[in-house]
Amino acid sequence: MEFQPILTIAGKEFRDRMRNRWVLAVALVFTVFSLAIAYFGGAQQGTVGFRSIEFTIASLVSLVIYLIPLNALLLGFDAIVGERERGSLDLLLSLPLTRLELLLGKYLGLAAALALSTLAGFGLVAVLLVRQFSAAALFHFGGFMLSSVLLGLAFLSLAVLLSVLTHERTRASGLAIAAWFFFVLVFDLLLLGALVATGGSVGGEAMAYLLLLNPADVFRILNVFSLEDVRTLYGLTSIVPPALAKPWLMGAVMAGWIVVPLGLAGWRFKP
């Protein structure tokens, strides 16, 4: 495997996203929604305005869990199947590069666009809030931004895997939307339903570890347990054992969610 073909494909993919202003649009969406949620997040408690970094991050976690997986899935679902339907996949494969190099180039280009839009959107929020918070608080906000990028890369890997497994864009887009519903809306509901239906008598301790099967929950745990005051805002503190309350461990699990689906895509994309 050579890096030059990978970088060439990644650069083309990234430039395509920059030309259609996808990065700018997503960054603006993140900025506007983040500021609105951070400012009005305490409205239910009768207060408005920017509060501590803990409450700001707690308010933004839900926004990230909804928006970033959706953006990543919509960005990557046609990475391969789109080229196949347009008839350009055979042309690309006729170039002096392997299928794995093509796949990695596609992924890295899309990942760069997704990471840039995320960092630009939340980075602008950090600039606007720099007078509100201390340097330590901004450091925690930087960790939140990094974990948001990792969450996006995990769902981008899932999108590329779906793109490799399907032969029609419509089916790939349908599966991408279904994956978003499952991981963002349905997964936790199923676990909670099973826990309530059994009265916590079946698999009570295992439930916490089942959360690791969902990258959105890994992101939530990573941020909930990163700050002391944030822990009290979620019911997760009652079901997640201290063994999982380690940022490095959750970071490793998130890295697994990036590598494993992408590895499966590379394996399935072989001739």
Side-chain angles (χ1 to χ4, degrees), residues 34-205:
S34 298
L35 288 175
I37 290 176
Y39 191 81
F40 295 107
Q44 292 181 341
Q45 289 79 37
T47 61
V48 294
F50 299 114
R51 296 183 291 176
S52 66
I53 190 64
E54 289 84 0
F55 284 95
T56 300
I57 290 178
S59 300
L60 294 179
V61 163
S62 297
L63 170 71
V64 168
I65 288 178
Y66 279 99
L67 281 187
I68 287 187
L70 184 62
N71 283 331
L73 289 166
L74 294 179
L75 181 66
F77 82 88
D78 70 340
I80 298 299
V81 72
E83 299 285 358
R84 184 181 287 121
E85 276 202 355
R86 289 189 292 270
S88 54
L89 182 60
D90 291 336
L91 177 62
L92 288 172
L93 293 176
S94 68
L95 299 174
L97 77 169
T98 66
R99 285 175 172 256
L100 181 59
E101 290 168 349
L102 172 62
L103 184 73
L104 290 178
K106 284 274 189 182
Y107 179 82
L108 290 178
L110 295 174
L114 183 63
L116 178 60
S117 63
T118 304
L119 294 176
F122 289 129
L124 184 55
V125 174
V127 170
L128 296 175
L129 297 180
V130 70
R131 293 185 178 180
Q132 307 288 331
F133 301 131
S134 64
L138 292 175
F139 175 77
H140 287 298
F141 193 79
F144 164 75
M145 291 170 59
L146 178 60
S147 63
S148 300
V149 172
L150 293 178
L151 176 66
L153 297 183
F155 275 91
L156 183 62
S157 292
L158 289 172
V160 171
L161 175 59
L162 294 177
S163 187
V164 169
L165 293 176
T166 55
H167 295 277
E168 298 175 358
R169 288 185 74 251
T170 52
R171 181 169 296 182
S173 64
L175 289 175
I177 297 298
W180 182 82
F181 270 98
F182 176 75
F183 285 113
V184 175
L185 300 178
V186 177
F187 186 87
D188 288 352
L189 190 62
L190 291 177
L191 288 187
L192 183 61
L195 196 62
V196 172
T198 60
S201 60
V202 179
E205 294 183 358

Side-chain angles (χ1 to χ4, degrees), residues 3-14:
F3 290 104
Q4 187 57 44
I6 296 175
L7 295 177
T8 301
I9 296 295
K12 177 185 179 303
E13 199 69 34
F14 180 75

